[in-house]
Amino acid sequence: MASITDHLDEFGFVISTEPDIASRGGNSAQHSAIYYIVNNLNFVGIWNALDIDREPRLYRDSRYWTSQRGHMSRDNLTCCVCALKLNKLYIDLGSLFWRIFKRVGFMWNRKNIGSDDVNTKYITILGRKFKFAHMDWCGFLMWFVATRFKYNPLNIVSDLYLFVAIYSQLEKTARDKDATDGHLNLIIIAETCSRISSNSFLNRFLSGTKILMSHNTRPRIILIESIVHHFILI
């Protein structure tokens, strides 16, 4: 099995070995955040390279579409939020969530993958078609992570919500063995919550979840496989 360090570029970003070199860094924000969380590394340099002109990017290299505006998705940003929280980069976290709040919770991935074309959807209301740009919504778990503190009484709400989310993801995996991104994000969210404010229920649930997900995940690329095995089997 390849080592995760084989996928680190000269700037400290984790990049996948995509067949199409133009897609370099397509999930770099997510994978880099996971790598830095797992190894307890300082994430500030990575985040400063990604958060350009007040819009986070997938990757820092301007030669590739992944560094352009309009591509940051929920899957990628969720792990970045966890890394920012664990690194106690509260100013950066507050700035990011203020921008998300002003966008009514929507992410920046308005463009099609690998293109400058806007990913448009149509909705019919009272017989009329309306066109809009399709973007991810941030979801509640991202906010729960940002507002989690050691003695916050709302932590139990986020723990219960996380339990439902993980159970739903495992149910989805029974039908879709390639649901890897959701697995990784939920494991990282649970680990982040546990590090900030631990309790016996969350710790036992997290331990069981890692085992279940390791048996129900069929990674799509060797990089993900390396991260999953490194994080789950240690």
Side-chain angles (χ1 to χ4, degrees), residues 1 6 43 52 82 84 110 114 140 150 180 189 195 201:
M1 179 182 298
D6 294 337
F43 190 68
I52 305 170
C82 292
L84 290 172
R110 62 188 180 277
F140 295 109
K150 189 170 184 178
T180 307
I189 290 171
R195 290 187 189 181
F201 167 77

Side-chain angles (χ1 to χ4, degrees), residues 15-214:
I15 55 172
S16 56
T17 51
E18 304 287 354
D20 176 12
I21 190 62
S23 295
R24 178 179 171 126
N27 285 305
S28 183
Q30 180 194 34
H31 298 164
S32 298
I34 292 173
Y35 175 76
Y36 278 69
I37 289 171
V38 169
N39 292 283
N40 295 306
L41 300 174
N42 192 329
F43 190 68
V44 64
I46 296 295
W47 180 249
N48 287 341
L50 290 176
D51 196 22
I52 305 170
D53 296 331
R54 299 188 62 77
E55 180 176 333
R57 315 298 171 90
L58 296 175
Y59 186 50
R60 54 103 48 218
D61 197 324
S62 60
R63 293 175 296 172
Y64 305 104
W65 65 266
T66 47
S67 69
Q68 299 173 4
R69 290 177 176 271
H71 293 291
M72 177 55 78
S73 64
R74 180 178 60 232
D75 285 341
N76 279 272
L77 195 61
T78 295
C79 289
C80 290
V81 167
C82 292
L84 290 172
K85 184 70 176 184
L86 290 175
N87 278 261
K88 298 182 179 180
L89 299 173
Y90 299 134
I91 294 178
D92 292 304
L93 196 62
S95 171
L96 174 64
F97 272 85
W98 174 242
R99 283 174 272 164
I100 293 175
F101 176 77
K102 291 193 293 184
R103 296 175 60 84
V104 201
F106 286 99
M107 299 292 96
W108 286 265
N109 58 333
R110 62 188 180 277
K111 295 180 181 178
N112 289 314
I113 295 174
S115 136
D116 283 330
D117 299 330
V118 175
N119 182 13
T120 55
K121 301 288 183 181
Y122 292 88
I123 186 173
T124 302
I125 301 177
L126 298 177
R128 296 186 60 186
K129 279 189 175 183
F130 296 89
K131 183 173 71 172
F132 65 97
H134 178 73
M135 296 173 286
D136 293 339
W137 192 66
C138 66
F140 295 109
L141 284 174
M142 196 181 292
W143 289 91
F144 283 143
V145 169
T147 57
R148 191 178 186 90
F149 294 95
K150 189 170 184 178
Y151 299 111
N152 186 349
L154 294 178
N155 289 346
I156 187 63
V157 177
S158 64
D159 290 348
L160 291 173
Y161 189 90
L162 183 60
F163 173 85
V164 174
I166 291 177
Y167 178 81
S168 299
Q169 185 66 32
L170 289 172
E171 285 289 309
K172 178 181 178 182
T173 305
R175 303 184 301 271
D176 179 10
K177 292 292 184 180
D178 288 322
T180 307
D181 285 341
H183 284 171
L184 289 174
N185 279 354
L186 288 172
I187 289 175
I188 292 300
I189 290 171
E191 180 70 18
T192 301
C193 291
S194 180
R195 290 187 189 181
I196 296 170
S197 177
S198 179
N199 60 69
S200 58
F201 167 77
L202 182 59
N203 288 342
R204 290 178 182 178
F205 181 63
L206 176 59
S207 178
T209 299
K210 289 180 180 180
I211 295 172
L212 285 172
M213 287 188 171
S214 68

Side-chain angles (χ1 to χ4, degrees), residues 211-225:
I211 295 172
L212 285 172
M213 287 188 171
S214 68
H215 289 301
N216 285 279
T217 301
R218 189 176 67 207
R220 294 172 299 183
I221 55 175
I222 191 69
L223 169 63
I224 298 273
E225 186 177 359

